[in-house]
Amino acid sequence: QQQQQGAGKSSTTTSTADAKPKAAATDAAAAAPAKKETRQAEESKIVQTKTHKFVFAPEGAHVAVREVASDWQGAVFGTTAREDFTGMHVWAAGLIASRWFLEHASLFDGKSVLELGAGCGLPGLAVYRYTKAQKVLLTDFFKHTVDNLKHNVDLNLQLEGSAENSRELAVAQVDWKTAATFPQPAHSFDVVLGCDLVYDAKLVPALVSVIKHALHPDGTMLYVFGDSRDGATDFIDAMGKAGFKCDMTSPAPDEYKRNPLLDGDDAELRLHFNELEDNTFSLATFKIDKAQEKRRAEIEAVVRQHNEAKAASAAAAVATAPGNNENETVKSS
């Protein structure tokens, strides 16, 4: 809940004299029944915003990203895409990812790039601002998150030198569990990006499904995750079973944690992104295992031929069965 209310948060100092009354108040609050939200998550109101300016390249160009906080008092993670508030805030993994992606900027030259679970969109926006990617599509689902993504796209297109008609920067609403929302056409993205996408193992099958749909057979999936995230290992295992090879770098280089704020304010960095120092991050690169894919195709071909032969044999048996011969003469009594 603290992270959900993170935009614009401030620190306070409590005196020793205040400690006991505050503790008593806290005990009373804990004893009282928790307030229950009666609204739908999408009916919540945005009550606070905070815009960060990040710089990831020595020439000084920057990425502007707004995060938002709402008056929602229910669960932050929710149980469906329509209730997932996590994308309303910039997470530390996005800072790590932006450094990593830009270190391999040539990978994006002329490419079509998709970011899944983009949240505020920092990594995808950094790719757009600092590389020669031809197309960057930022996706999420929760209404407030998608609206904020659109705001951040407009914000960065307005930055000097970023509004280029020859390249595309767009937003789409994608629910991993609903194939009808998947980006089209299938297999059209050269690079798929993701940061801390899995916090529950139950999300893994849906995530793998949308990646398989979107990624070109020769494409690359780049994924950054904090090692404390639940479901991260499940995701890597599931990608392997789905035919992907994984190259892992863990932990991420310490230099990826250096302060990327345009004003270099270390106190501001610790205030909003304390997880950056407190967590260990890993970098994973996924590509389709062509050898495994070939073996799978060969096995599928053998199974298909077997089934076709079996079906043909069954059809022949039916055709030659008594009473099914067209040339058989039926005698009348």
Side-chain angles (χ1 to χ4, degrees), residues 148-268:
N148 190 51
L149 261 180
K150 292 176 180 177
H151 171 89
N152 285 337
V153 163
D154 291 341
L155 193 60
N156 284 274
L157 287 175
Q158 291 169 11
L159 293 175
E160 184 178 358
S162 66
E164 300 178 17
N165 294 329
S166 62
R167 299 196 300 145
E168 181 180 350
L169 177 62
V171 174
Q173 193 172 33
V174 173
D175 182 352
W176 303 346
K177 295 184 178 180
T178 306
T181 70
F182 290 1
Q184 300 296 336
H187 312 304
S188 58
F189 289 91
D190 304 296
V191 186
V192 174
L193 311 176
C195 297
D196 264 350
L197 297 180
V198 180
Y199 50 83
D200 185 339
K202 293 192 293 292
L203 298 171
V204 168
L207 175 57
V208 173
S209 177
V210 70
I211 293 169
K212 289 179 65 178
H213 167 89
L215 192 62
H216 187 277
D218 294 320
T220 302
M221 161 76 177
L222 300 177
Y223 186 58
V224 176
F225 62 96
D227 290 354
S228 62
R229 285 285 179 260
D230 292 337
T233 302
D234 301 85
F235 172 63
I236 293 170
D237 291 344
M239 287 289 280
K241 293 175 181 177
F244 289 87
K245 288 193 302 184
C246 176
D247 290 326
M248 183 86 72
T249 299
S250 184
D254 286 341
E255 64 190 55
Y256 288 3
K257 293 186 175 184
R258 67 183 185 272
N259 192 339
L261 293 175
L262 182 61
D263 61 8
D265 189 331
D266 289 333
E268 184 82 357

Side-chain angles (χ1 to χ4, degrees), residues 286-303:
F286 296 96
K287 294 184 73 71
I288 293 176
D289 187 336
K290 294 298 182 65
Q292 182 178 334
E293 192 77 5
K294 182 179 179 181
R295 289 194 300 271
R296 181 183 288 113
E298 291 172 347
I299 292 172
E300 289 176 351
V302 169
V303 171

Side-chain angles (χ1 to χ4, degrees), residues 5-325:
Q5 299 296 339
K9 56 191 175 186
S10 60
S11 59
T12 58
T13 302
T14 303
S15 68
T16 306
D18 292 336
K20 183 171 280 189
K22 282 187 176 290
T26 301
D27 290 342
K35 180 181 178 181
K36 185 176 181 180
E37 271 285 2
T38 58
R39 303 172 296 174
Q40 296 295 317
E42 291 183 341
E43 296 173 346
S44 63
K45 305 298 183 184
I46 299 300
V47 296
Q48 209 166 34
T49 68
K50 171 70 176 179
T51 298
H52 302 281
K53 295 180 180 180
F54 302 97
V55 60
F56 297 102
E59 61 268 21
H62 71 273
V63 182
V65 177
R66 184 183 75 173
E67 60 180 356
V68 297
S70 77
D71 62 356
W72 176 249
Q73 298 298 317
V76 177
F77 292 93
T79 57
T80 70
R82 291 188 179 277
E83 301 170 327
D84 187 351
F85 273 77
T86 57
M88 293 165 58
H89 313 286
V90 181
W91 295 80
L95 278 61
I96 298 291
S98 297
R99 294 239 184 248
W100 182 36
F101 298 162
L102 301 185
E103 191 172 272
H104 302 280
S106 61
L107 175 67
F108 301 95
D109 287 356
K111 297 301 193 330
S112 180
V113 181
L114 168 69
E115 184 175 6
L116 294 172
C120 297
L122 174 59
L125 291 169
V127 166
Y128 181 82
R129 290 282 282 129
Y130 290 110
T131 78
K132 298 178 181 178
Q134 181 61 35
K135 172 183 178 180
V136 177
L137 179 64
L138 309 176
T139 67
D140 217 300
F141 190 80
F142 183 62
K143 179 182 181 298
H144 293 335
T145 302
V146 172
D147 289 345
N148 190 51
L149 261 180
K150 292 176 180 177
H151 171 89
N152 285 337
V153 163
D154 291 341
L155 193 60
N156 284 274
L157 287 175
Q158 291 169 11
L159 293 175
E160 184 178 358
S162 66
E164 300 178 17
N165 294 329
S166 62
R167 299 196 300 145
E168 181 180 350
L169 177 62
V171 174
Q173 193 172 33
V174 173
D175 182 352
W176 303 346
K177 295 184 178 180
T178 306
T181 70
F182 290 1
Q184 300 296 336
H187 312 304
S188 58
F189 289 91
D190 304 296
V191 186
V192 174
L193 311 176
C195 297
D196 264 350
L197 297 180
V198 180
Y199 50 83
D200 185 339
K202 293 192 293 292
L203 298 171
V204 168
L207 175 57
V208 173
S209 177
V210 70
I211 293 169
K212 289 179 65 178
H213 167 89
L215 192 62
H216 187 277
D218 294 320
T220 302
M221 161 76 177
L222 300 177
Y223 186 58
V224 176
F225 62 96
D227 290 354
S228 62
R229 285 285 179 260
D230 292 337
T233 302
D234 301 85
F235 172 63
I236 293 170
D237 291 344
M239 287 289 280
K241 293 175 181 177
F244 289 87
K245 288 193 302 184
C246 176
D247 290 326
M248 183 86 72
T249 299
S250 184
D254 286 341
E255 64 190 55
Y256 288 3
K257 293 186 175 184
R258 67 183 185 272
N259 192 339
L261 293 175
L262 182 61
D263 61 8
D265 189 331
D266 289 333
E268 184 82 357
L269 184 73
R270 286 191 297 272
L271 176 64
H272 292 278
F273 308 105
N274 59 295
E275 192 183 24
L276 190 64
E277 287 300 327
D278 296 341
N279 205 356
T280 299
F281 296 89
S282 295
L283 321 173
T285 301
F286 296 96
K287 294 184 73 71
I288 293 176
D289 187 336
K290 294 298 182 65
Q292 182 178 334
E293 192 77 5
K294 182 179 179 181
R295 289 194 300 271
R296 181 183 288 113
E298 291 172 347
I299 292 172
E300 289 176 351
V302 169
V303 171
R304 185 169 57 252
Q305 290 172 4
H306 171 76
N307 290 337
E308 290 172 352
K310 187 176 179 180
S313 177
V318 171
T320 58
N324 289 327
N325 192 331

